[in-house]
Amino acid sequence: MPEGPEVETVRRTLKHFILDAKITSVDVFYDKIIEDDTALFKGVLKDQHIRDIDRFGKYLIFILDDYAFISHLRMEGKFNIKPQGSPLDKHDHVVFYLNDGRELRYNDTRKFGRMKLCDKLHYLSYPPFNKLGVDPHDAHVEDVYDKLHKSALPIKTLLLDQHIFVGIGNIYANEICFRMGMDPRTRGKRLSKKRVAQLISIGDEVLSEAIRQGGTTIHSFDANGIHGLFQVQLDVHMQKTCKKCHGEIKKIMLGGRGTYYCPVCQKRRY
DNA sequence: CGGTAGACCTGTTCGC
DNA sequence: TGCGAACAGGTCTACC
């Protein structure tokens, strides 16, 4: 699922359903998902209540009584809440058994997602968080400008760099460039301070709107029949026709990622 | 250090 | 229809 807005939707939904539930035990069917020793991970989580769920960028942080762990969904990770004993899906890799007869299941077709124990109180001061950038909502122009100004990489590639901004993924990077009226190939160093200020505010706007709409849900989060997640209205990503000028949307590769843009509306290079 | 392929996985879609 | 290549919401590593 996961760019920042989708992870935020998962966070809110999970929090709504499993806050204060107790983890009675954990099963792990694919060890690589757990970056710690699996036995340690299972042992630490046993009999802990889920007291809170935080998010930083695309990371979820589960806060327990005495410990905490982070979860990154990468490309296809999903959490589902199922009644105890309902049939396991082929791609369910981690199961958290809850004391109320439900199970929180981590499902991940491509097995890219990762979980790891972290410091409960000061996790932001340790890896991976201490090296990450800022949420566009909290960004300061000077800091971002300093980073962008040093780089010859395309701005669209820089938007994906989690050391600069957190939470922006491939879809929203494309959408942000479109809303900026900016060619995604524009080099970071070409952006003026004023343009960076605009980038921050449009970035914040795009992510906030997506959160309001419940994230772009293609593989829908399916917690106990809770649907109602809208699909975010996308302007360019995977589109054929430009919503503004009705011209053709072009697709190119930048930094190995599919990049969509309108050659008419995103002509300007700064 | 900056930047770019390749790796990690499975499933779906596209082209011949 | 079949079959391999390319691609998918992400990040790390190895290597110029």
Side-chain angles (χ1 to χ4, degrees):
Chain A
M1 315 190 114
E3 294 186 37
E6 289 72 37
V7 176
E8 176 61 16
T9 302
V10 171
R11 186 189 74 81
R12 292 178 182 181
T13 311
L14 281 182
K15 201 168 158 172
H16 179 259
F17 282 104
I18 62 170
L19 197 66
D20 294 327
K22 183 164 115 180
I23 300 167
T24 54
S25 65
V26 180
D27 259 340
V28 177
F29 304 115
Y30 185 75
D31 277 351
K32 285 183 75 176
I33 302 273
I34 312 297
E35 294 191 340
D36 306 288
D37 176 82
T38 305
L40 173 75
F41 184 82
K42 289 158 86 166
V44 162
L45 267 53
K46 185 175 164 51
D47 294 330
Q48 293 278 308
H49 296 81
I50 297 164
R51 294 305 189 189
D52 202 0
I53 304 175
D54 292 345
R55 174 180 72 94
F56 189 76
K58 302 173 190 173
Y59 290 87
L60 287 170
I61 304 100
F62 289 77
I63 309 291
L64 313 174
D65 297 305
D66 309 307
Y67 306 98
F69 70 96
I70 62 186
S71 167
H72 195 302
L73 276 26
R74 295 283 179 91
M75 293 290 259
E76 307 211 11
K78 289 172 276 294
F79 279 104
N80 290 296
I81 298 163
K82 294 278 175 67
Q84 201 170 62
S86 62
L88 271 187
D89 182 271
K90 182 181 178 184
H91 303 294
D92 283 343
H93 304 306
V94 183
V95 177
F96 303 83
Y97 300 92
L98 305 178
N99 63 327
D100 55 14
R102 294 177 301 163
E103 297 177 3
L104 174 65
R105 297 184 184 168
Y106 178 72
N107 181 286
D108 190 342
T109 308
R110 292 172 74 181
K111 302 177 177 167
F112 283 169
R114 294 292 180 263
M115 293 180 202
K116 185 185 163 87
L117 296 170
C118 70
D119 187 283
K120 184 189 168 182
L121 296 176
H122 308 105
Y123 59 84
L124 287 177
S125 307
Y126 300 97
F129 301 109
N130 63 154
K131 287 179 202 145
L132 293 181
V134 286
D135 190 296
H137 187 69
D138 306 316
H140 299 291
V141 185
E142 297 292 337
D143 301 338
V144 176
Y145 177 80
D146 285 347
K147 291 185 181 175
L148 297 182
H149 191 64
K150 287 182 199 141
S151 179
L153 286 176
I155 187 63
K156 192 266 186 167
T157 300
L158 293 168
L159 284 172
L160 291 175
D161 185 344
Q162 305 295 300
H163 303 286
I164 302 175
F165 289 116
V166 294
I168 300 174
N170 203 40
I171 293 178
Y172 297 119
N174 284 326
E175 294 299 310
I176 291 167
C177 288
F178 179 81
R179 207 174 289 194
M180 289 284 291
M182 181 172 63
D183 188 309
R185 295 166 295 185
T186 306
R187 313 254 167 205
K189 56 166 62 164
R190 306 276 312 271
L191 296 217
S192 65
K193 216 168 271 191
K194 200 170 173 183
R195 206 63 181 142
V196 170
Q198 192 191 2
L199 185 69
I200 290 171
S201 91
I202 287 181
D204 180 28
E205 191 178 287
V206 167
L207 297 188
S208 309
E209 280 176 22
I211 289 172
R212 239 174 284 135
Q213 295 172 64
T216 304
T217 308
I218 293 168
H219 304 293
S220 68
F221 179 74
D222 190 36
N224 261 356
I226 289 300
H227 303 290
L229 297 179
F230 291 85
Q231 198 145 311
V232 171
Q233 183 67 31
L234 299 177
D235 287 332
V236 270
H237 189 263
M238 293 268 283
Q239 305 300 302
K240 292 220 63 173
T241 317
C242 176
K243 295 254 169 23
K244 268 190 203 157
C245 74
H246 307 291
E248 194 187 344
I249 296 297
K250 282 238 150 58
K251 185 192 179 190
I252 56 173
M253 290 302 255
L254 281 184
R257 313 298 305 276
T259 302
Y260 298 81
Y261 71 104
C262 171
V264 175
C265 300
Q266 297 172 256
K267 252 192 173 24
R268 296 143 68 191
R269 317 196 54 172
Y270 299 85

